[in-house]
Amino acid sequence: MDAAEGGTSPAADAREARGREEFNRGKAFYVAGNHADALTAFRASIEAYPSATAYLLAARCLRAMGRLGEAVVEYEHAVILGGTHASENAEYAKTSQVAADELAELARKVARVRLHVTPADAHAAVRVAGRAIPDDARERAWPVTPGTVRVEAFAEGFAPFETELVVRAGDEVPVEINLSRAPGEAGGAPVPSDTTPAAIVADGIDADASPGRPPWGAFAWASVGLAAVGAAAFTAFYILADGQRDDYRAACVVAPCSDAKQRDLSSTGTTYQTLTNIGLAVGIAGAALALTFFLLDMDADEARAHEASLVPEVDGAGVRWRF
């Protein structure tokens, strides 16, 4: 296994040892024809200590598994990393050349999609065929396996985007990801303001509630809203955290980066993960409160008669939930 750089500290030596261990495991699986486990081991080796040979063998595993688009990306890493260190050792140059030759052959068998995201300030998390696409790779012709390809984009404050396209080997297909702002967001469609009795009922405020009775129904629907906000926050920050991990790998695992950049990327990722956990906690708390308030809103006699069944009744423009 060639190494990206020499060990310069106990921590670096430990990472290199871990990388070699996973690399050797991957080679054993590869020789046995177990490409799936070999790929897992090679990627673990790369994460611990990037090497051009590990990238090359990971690419071969992906090619054997029919995941041609992903294989192209791994071949490219092998070419770049091997070429970067070619002057240090002839093995690096050889690995880079072998990867380049195999890449040239495979490049004719894949399709490519060229992504363009608007508006530019959306900061969207984009996935192509289930793979997160780094921000700095959005404008390139991204390699994909021929067939049906799914493109997805998510951004806070915007409606999710998704489309499917069928591509053939040699195709290069432009994909315009036009994100529309979610209702209620700045620049988006205004949220209708309806104060009719039916709309008030739909919001969980019962005009027929007895005087002096606590408005449990209103509290319940407010809690439903809280749960929805928590779920939305969890989804948005989970996507951002996942994308940040990919950014960290691209910036500081595939190639060396400065300590300052590493700390910055790590700090941002930690923040996104914390906000993800907060969103999950808020969503769970909102759901629990909603259930509690719905139960409190039941009239005891009616609850016994209907065994706490929840029945929707359409009333003009609104919907009343009857227990």
Side-chain angles (χ1 to χ4, degrees):
M1 174 185 133
D2 56 282
E5 56 182 325
T8 57
S9 68
D13 291 342
R15 289 196 300 271
E16 182 177 0
R18 174 64 175 167
R20 290 183 182 279
E21 178 185 352
E22 291 294 341
F23 180 82
N24 290 332
R25 288 182 64 249
K27 281 186 66 176
F29 285 129
Y30 184 79
V31 170
N34 185 346
H35 296 112
D37 287 338
L39 175 63
T40 300
F42 288 137
R43 283 185 164 168
S45 174
I46 291 167
E47 184 175 357
Y49 199 80
S51 107
T53 305
Y55 276 120
L56 174 61
L57 293 177
R60 289 176 176 173
C61 289
L62 288 163
R63 184 185 62 190
M65 296 164 68
R67 293 159 61 178
L68 307 186
E70 294 175 73
V72 166
V73 176
E74 301 302 301
Y75 273 124
E76 291 173 345
H77 289 319
V79 172
I80 294 170
L81 189 56
T84 300
H85 299 278
S87 61
E88 303 169 16
N89 190 307
E91 287 299 317
Y92 298 152
K94 180 180 178 181
T95 300
S96 180
Q97 185 59 54
V98 169
D101 292 342
E102 294 183 16
L103 173 60
E105 179 184 351
L106 182 62
R108 298 190 293 268
K109 300 178 181 179
V110 300
R112 295 178 183 269
V113 294
R114 189 176 293 277
L115 309 171
H116 183 248
V117 181
T118 55
D121 64 347
H123 304 295
V126 180
R127 290 183 175 275
V128 175
R131 288 183 293 159
I133 307 301
D135 290 347
D136 58 359
R138 299 281 172 80
E139 299 299 329
R140 67 165 287 186
W142 194 260
V144 294
T145 304
T148 301
V149 177
R150 187 177 186 83
V151 178
E152 303 167 282
F154 307 89
E156 185 175 3
F158 293 82
F161 172 93
E162 60 181 50
T163 188
E164 285 189 348
L165 54 151
V166 178
V167 294
R168 299 170 300 177
D171 285 351
E172 182 174 315
V173 182
V175 179
E176 292 291 333
I177 301 176
N178 298 313
L179 297 173
S180 58
R181 296 188 183 274
E185 296 293 334
V191 177
S193 176
D194 188 348
T195 56
T196 62
I200 294 175
V201 171
D203 289 337
I205 303 175
D206 190 344
D208 296 328
S210 302
R213 177 185 176 185
W216 299 123
F219 293 159
W221 285 107
S223 299
V224 169
L226 179 64
V229 169
F234 169 80
T235 301
F237 287 114
Y238 178 86
I239 292 170
L240 290 172
D242 189 57
Q244 188 69 8
R245 283 192 292 271
D246 290 335
D247 291 346
Y248 181 91
R249 179 177 179 273
C252 294
V253 175
V254 172
C257 68
S258 65
D259 291 342
K261 185 171 184 179
Q262 185 175 16
R263 286 194 301 270
D264 181 63
L265 290 171
S266 178
S267 175
T268 302
T270 300
T271 299
Y272 286 155
Q273 186 60 57
T274 300
L275 293 173
T276 299
N277 294 337
I278 291 174
L280 178 62
V282 170
I284 293 173
L289 287 172
L291 177 60
T292 300
F293 289 135
F294 275 130
L295 292 174
L296 290 173
D297 192 48
M298 292 180 184
D299 180 271
D301 292 335
E302 185 177 358
R304 283 192 294 270
H306 294 278
E307 297 180 348
S309 60
L310 183 62
V311 181
E313 296 178 343
V314 178
D315 179 13
V319 178
R320 182 196 302 272
W321 292 93
R322 175 171 59 82
F323 290 88

